Amino acid sequence: MRGFARQVALGVTTATGMAAEDPALLAVQASRRAPRRATLAVAGLLDNGTGGRHADARRGLAAWLRGHRDDARAGVAAALAGRPASPVRRVLGEVAVELDVPLPPDAPRVTRARAAWRAGDVSGAVTLAQGTPLGRRLASEQRAMTPGTVLAGDRRARSTPAGPPVALHLLTNSLPHTSSGYTLRSHEVLRAQAAAGIEVAAATRLGYPVVVGRVTGRDVDVVDGIAYHRLLPWSAARTPGARLRQNVALARPLVRALRPTVLHTTTAWSNAVVTRALADEHGLPWVYEVRGVLEDTWAASFPTAEAQHAARASERHALLRARETELARAADHVVTLGETVRRDLVTRGVDPARITVVPNAVPGELLDLHVSSTAARARLGLSGEGFWVGTVSSLVDYEGIETLVEAVAVLRRRGADVRCAVVGDGTARASIARRAQSLGIADHVVLPGRVAPDEAVGWHLALDAFAVPRRDTAVTRAVVPLKPMQAMALGRPVVASDLPALAEIVGEPGTGLLAAPDDAQALADAIERLADDPALAGSLGEAGRAFAATRTWAAAGAAYRRLYEEVAA
């Protein structure tokens, strides 16, 4: 009961703090956390309103709640131009920031500050919000992300504990509350390390999972024997810098109790700042696992190429890149997922001798799983006919799933019986469904939503080819995704965008076909080659299985053990 009371108190104080900073922002954030059925119900109520002054506002907000981002941008822009009443205007302003819609010049100062921050103008945002609770928060975050800023604390001399490695992982989030590529890799790494004889435990960031709306969790979640410790205060500090110090304070007793020989953390920089402070305090080595390029992932979230280019030229992009570089150079060792990111870190000045590539891998048991796609589809209630192509992924814009849907439409116009399954959820799901509808192929595109990790294997097996149609952005050129490795282990050929990170696992080992990114015709041609040539599809699938056999989690666990023993010595 005490733990539950603490989580409720944390949730209340977090919401209260947001309300004090800006009630309109709290309303927007709450709508993002609400169950999908609830947001759709609210959207329906907005649509049922009569005409009048706020018709554009209702239309824009309803589209936003449904995930129809293009319609939402148009509606919100029209509503703001109509100068709605103040409370409506505040909410519309916050939604406009989320959608990258330009604000009117007379928008509230805090809203303009948030828009400036979103656009990457860090100093401008801090200046605009000066003297407000938001201003204090932004100024604190600016200081925290600036290279050279460290959390104050004593530094102890390094020690070399005897015995097998003991690793404490400091993570952003985890199973069972969040299912994503990040949490799945974290979990597989922890399981692999445990199997390799490493004693492991993990702790998630301050306030998680309460900060994502889960107020009934436990202080420790145990998943497949892996303990995930929660760092849950009665209330969170009000500024980002103070929360980082609070994070260190709450993790400190865990470090003392578990007595690790190494601390291990992952992107982003805030995790690394906390881990570095704990390592200095306890005389421990620390490993930074750079799983992506944070600043480029942020830039890729903008809706147009022009906006992405502006983001990459912004102050925020430069600060994030410099901060990530500083921390990678400060770590005792760096782990990356692929050669593209490794080469980038070397150009930033990270010693190549302190970088180890531990790629995304597969459970060894998948390599021995031989199930035909028609049999797998029967288990899912899908048609055994046609050639099925699809993906299991987070549905965000840079994954390029709309290009895949367009390629399927091209093939069906050619007379080919090609069908599609897109498994997962995210901000782009609604637009993917609408695109399939507009192309007249909604009956041939299955969107089952997010599924549990053990169910995802069945969907991989149901496909005749696995697609990775990523758009050409800085982040997709660098970051190697996890899901195609599972498809390879199951003997499914891959068709992917011709980007460096994907060529590394598809083109070079010959596990599938590459097509020009953002080109539905080129993607359709590649899929058609596989559909028309079963022998080719089969040989690529077997090449994929052979390649995946070189990248198992058992091998990754052994690599981590060697790495930990080296840094401890």
Side-chain angles (χ1 to χ4, degrees):
M1 288 299 296
R2 179 179 173 82
F4 175 71
R6 185 175 65 249
Q7 292 180 59
V8 170
L10 176 59
V12 170
T13 55
T14 299
T16 301
M18 291 181 67
E21 188 174 294
D22 192 336
L25 177 64
L26 176 60
V28 170
Q29 294 291 344
S31 68
R32 293 177 63 187
R33 304 294 186 198
R36 179 70 174 161
R37 291 178 63 182
T39 58
L40 290 177
V42 174
L45 291 174
L46 289 169
D47 277 341
N48 288 334
T50 59
R53 185 179 179 188
H54 298 310
D56 286 330
R58 288 196 302 273
R59 187 161 48 249
L61 292 174
W64 177 67
L65 290 170
R66 290 192 173 95
H68 300 164
R69 297 178 72 84
D70 289 340
D71 289 349
R73 288 187 186 100
V76 169
L80 286 172
R83 303 183 61 82
S86 180
V88 176
R89 189 176 180 82
R90 291 292 298 277
V91 173
L92 284 171
E94 296 301 335
V95 175
V97 172
E98 295 257 338
L99 294 170
D100 302 301
V101 172
L103 294 172
D106 60 345
R109 185 160 58 100
V110 293
T111 308
R112 286 186 286 124
R114 253 190 291 276
W117 185 272
R118 164 66 180 154
D121 182 7
V122 173
S123 297
V126 171
T127 300
L128 273 169
Q130 193 169 15
T132 69
L134 175 65
R136 288 189 289 275
R137 177 169 70 79
L138 296 184
S140 176
E141 188 165 352
Q142 180 186 36
R143 287 191 296 272
M145 73 166 63
T146 298
T149 304
V150 296
L151 300 182
D154 297 330
R155 298 190 65 176
R156 287 182 52 187
R158 288 289 173 88
S159 59
T160 307
V166 180
L168 173 60
H169 289 242
L170 295 155
L171 305 172
T172 301
N173 48 33
S174 78
L175 299 175
H177 303 294
T178 301
S179 180
S180 64
Y182 175 91
T183 61
L184 294 175
R185 176 174 169 101
S186 296
H187 192 62
E188 292 295 350
V189 165
L190 286 159
R191 292 179 63 202
Q193 290 185 0
I198 302 168
E199 186 179 334
V200 297
T204 46
R205 74 184 189 275
L206 180 79
Y208 179 86
V210 175
V211 292
V212 297
R214 305 294 178 88
V215 296
T216 58
R218 301 176 180 177
D219 288 346
V220 182
D221 283 303
V222 179
V223 183
D224 297 331
I226 304 299
Y228 292 100
H229 297 262
R230 310 303 181 191
L231 306 179
L232 301 173
W234 284 92
S235 64
R238 292 265 49 91
T239 64
R243 285 196 291 272
L244 290 174
R245 293 188 290 273
Q246 191 177 23
N247 199 329
V248 171
L250 287 176
R252 191 177 290 128
L254 192 59
V255 175
R256 292 172 179 167
L258 297 176
R259 303 185 66 184
T261 62
V262 62
L263 300 179
H264 185 127
T265 195
T266 66
T267 315
W269 63 268
S270 52
N271 292 336
V273 167
V274 168
T275 305
R276 182 185 191 181
L278 290 166
D280 285 347
E281 282 186 17
H282 296 87
L284 295 170
W286 66 287
V287 173
Y288 191 25
E289 187 162 308
V290 179
R291 295 190 181 175
V293 185
L294 179 67
E295 64 276 13
D296 287 338
T297 301
W298 166 70
S301 68
F302 286 84
T304 66
E306 293 77 10
Q308 291 172 16
H309 178 77
R312 288 195 297 273
S314 71
E315 179 188 7
R316 181 175 178 179
H317 189 279
L319 277 176
L320 290 173
R321 185 172 181 83
R323 190 59 155 151
E324 289 286 335
T325 300
E326 175 198 44
L327 291 163
R329 295 177 66 175
D332 292 275
H333 208 87
V334 175
V335 171
T336 71
L337 279 59
E339 285 295 328
T340 307
V341 174
R342 188 196 71 82
R343 288 192 294 268
D344 178 56
L345 288 170
V346 171
T347 65
R348 299 196 206 187
V350 181
D351 181 358
R354 293 192 299 106
I355 304 176
T356 296
V357 176
V358 183
N360 283 323
V362 296
E365 58 268 22
L366 292 187
L367 298 167
D368 299 319
L369 193 57
H370 294 265
V371 179
S372 72
S373 58
T374 52
R377 290 200 292 272
R379 295 174 186 175
L380 293 169
L382 302 175
S383 172
E385 298 180 357
F387 185 89
W388 284 73
V389 62
T391 191
V392 180
S393 177
S394 296
L395 304 187
V396 293
D397 182 66
Y398 65 72
E399 292 292 351
I401 309 301
E402 286 194 45
T403 303
L404 173 61
V405 172
E406 291 165 8
V408 171
V410 168
L411 290 167
R412 294 198 67 83
R413 287 197 297 269
R414 293 178 186 175
D417 186 8
V418 175
R419 309 178 189 204
C420 184
V422 176
V423 182
D425 204 357
T427 56
R429 186 183 178 203
S431 62
I432 293 166
R434 295 187 83 195
R435 188 64 179 139
Q437 186 72 39
S438 69
L439 291 168
I441 60 168
D443 290 343
H444 306 290
V445 177
V446 177
L447 290 157
R450 191 185 304 276
V451 301
D454 55 343
E455 295 177 35
V457 173
W459 284 96
H460 277 95
L461 288 167
L463 300 173
D464 296 300
F466 189 88
V468 193
R470 288 186 152 188
R471 301 185 63 194
D472 187 359
T473 68
V475 66
T476 55
R477 295 179 69 83
V479 177
V480 181
L482 172 63
K483 293 302 183 183
M485 290 304 304
Q486 295 184 2
M488 293 176 198
L490 297 166
R492 299 304 187 255
V494 175
V495 57
S497 295
D498 192 359
L499 300 167
L502 293 171
E504 183 180 319
I505 62 171
V506 177
E508 294 171 20
T511 62
L513 302 177
L514 296 172
D518 304 304
D519 188 333
Q521 294 286 341
L523 184 60
D525 291 343
I527 295 169
E528 190 170 39
R529 282 186 63 192
L530 296 176
D532 289 346
D533 193 342
L536 173 63
S539 65
L540 293 173
E542 287 308 308
R545 199 185 293 269
F547 178 64
T550 69
R551 295 190 168 191
T552 63
W553 287 119
Y560 278 115
R561 176 152 188 163
R562 290 192 299 271
L563 188 162
Y564 288 166
E565 289 170 344
E566 289 172 7
V567 297

